[in-house]
């Protein structure tokens, strides 16, 4: 059994465990799981050259219910959402609302004349039992439906875009490519990586760039290591 499925199995056992009983025999509710915020990347866990940028976080914490009993599935599921929303950083939590959602902004300053730096965020979302896997399945379905699409911009111009989803190791990588205007040079790329740990989805989102970069993978590796290090 590999590490990813071991993590999922342990999470399932914890979530399915029985409730404790008090001295008079009445059942006592299981304690709430610890907050995910402690599992986010912190300054001491960041890869070399990266810094925190909390002002740029596009978290959807206020949209996340506080308990499983109040969880209401979104009426506009990922499978049928507009393709143009795949490029919005909060598309997962907007169309597959979690129980808990925390995020931290990240950036790397440019080094040299040919480097434009990097910007993005890490997000952790906790879902009710079994819904995290369903959410990522829905992401795959949405990307398959949106292989080629167009987005109308505020000035009325039309942007031609494409979406792909590939499995890279333990992560699902979603890439949105926008073709440049006639005077552009490179396609504009938004990229998001997802890794599931039981009912928690770890996401690293990259702000669009027109140049290839390894920064998203560097941040993803650090985020996964930090999450696993906390004995989940």
């Amino acid at each position: 059994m590999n590490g990813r499925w071991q993590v999922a199995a342990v999470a399932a056992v914890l979530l399915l465990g029985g409730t404790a009983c008090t001295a008079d025999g009445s059942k006592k509710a299981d304690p709430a799981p610890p907050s995910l915020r402690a599992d986010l990347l912190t300054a001491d866990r960041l890869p070399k050259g990266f810094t925190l940028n909390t002002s740029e976080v596009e978290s959807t914490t206020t949209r996340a219910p506080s308990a499983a009993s109040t969880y209401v599935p979104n009426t506009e599921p990922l499978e049928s959402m507009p393709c143009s929303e795949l490029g919005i950083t909060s598309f997962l939590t907007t169309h597959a609302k979690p129980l808990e959602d925390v995020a931290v902004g990240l950036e790397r300053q440019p080094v040299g004349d040919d480097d434009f730096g990097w910007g993005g965020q890490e997000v952790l979302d906790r879902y009710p039992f079994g819904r995290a896997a369903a959410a990522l399945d829905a992401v795959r379905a949405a990307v398959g439906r949106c292989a080629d699409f167009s987005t109308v911009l505020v000035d009325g111009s039309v942007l031609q875009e494409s979406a792909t989803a590939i499995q890279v190791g333990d992560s699902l990588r979603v890439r949105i490519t926008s073709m440049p205007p006639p005077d552009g040079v490179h396609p504009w790329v938004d990229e998001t990586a997802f890794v599931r740990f039981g009912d928690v989805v770890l996401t690293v989102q990259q702000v669009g760039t027109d140049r290839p970069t390894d920064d998203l993978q560097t941040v993803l590796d650090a985020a996964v290591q930090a999450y696993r290090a906390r004995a989940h």
Side-chain angles (χ1 to χ4, degrees):
M1 182 180 291
N2 63 38
R4 179 177 55 161
W5 295 117
Q6 284 178 326
V7 171
V10 171
V13 170
L14 290 174
L15 286 168
L16 290 174
T19 57
C21 294
T22 61
D24 62 3
S26 60
K27 290 185 177 181
K28 182 172 64 176
D30 290 333
S35 172
L36 290 174
R37 186 160 297 281
D39 301 324
L40 289 169
L41 282 169
T42 54
D44 60 320
R45 301 174 184 170
L46 289 174
K48 183 178 180 180
F50 288 82
T51 59
L52 300 179
N53 186 2
T54 54
S55 65
E56 294 300 322
V57 172
E58 295 187 32
S59 177
T60 56
T61 303
T62 56
R63 298 178 185 173
S66 59
S69 60
T70 63
Y71 181 82
V72 178
N74 199 330
T75 56
E76 187 181 10
L78 282 162
E79 294 94 327
S80 58
M81 74 175 187
C83 293
S84 59
E85 295 194 17
L86 277 173
I88 298 174
T89 54
S90 60
F91 81 88
L92 179 64
T93 46
T94 298
H95 297 280
K97 294 183 179 180
L99 296 173
E100 182 183 2
D101 170 72
V102 295
V104 62
L106 307 164
E107 65 181 355
R108 180 182 62 77
Q109 294 299 320
V111 179
D113 295 336
D114 296 328
D115 182 16
F116 290 90
W118 186 87
Q121 67 174 1
E122 178 199 5
V123 184
L124 291 172
D125 294 306
R126 178 180 282 116
Y127 285 89
F129 180 70
R131 291 190 182 272
L136 292 189
D137 287 342
V139 170
R140 291 185 183 91
V143 173
R145 177 173 56 85
C146 299
D148 293 290
F149 63 100
S150 59
T151 300
V152 180
L153 304 180
V154 292
D155 62 359
S157 59
V158 178
L159 190 65
Q160 298 300 319
E161 302 185 85
S162 62
T164 58
I166 58 174
Q167 198 75 29
V168 180
D170 290 338
S171 70
L172 174 68
R173 191 74 60 87
V174 174
R175 177 176 293 181
I176 309 298
T177 303
S178 304
M179 296 307 296
D183 57 346
V185 178
H186 305 286
W188 194 257
V189 177
D190 288 286
E191 198 162 0
T192 303
F194 305 92
V195 181
R196 183 173 69 88
F197 298 93
D199 292 307
V200 172
V201 176
L202 184 157
T203 305
V204 174
Q205 298 170 310
Q206 171 181 287
V207 175
T209 178
D210 64 350
R211 301 192 179 208
T213 173
D214 295 326
D215 289 320
L216 184 141
Q217 187 63 49
T218 298
V219 173
L220 179 66
D221 290 344
V224 168
Q225 182 178 2
Y227 185 87
R228 286 176 171 159
R230 292 186 58 82
H232 288 276

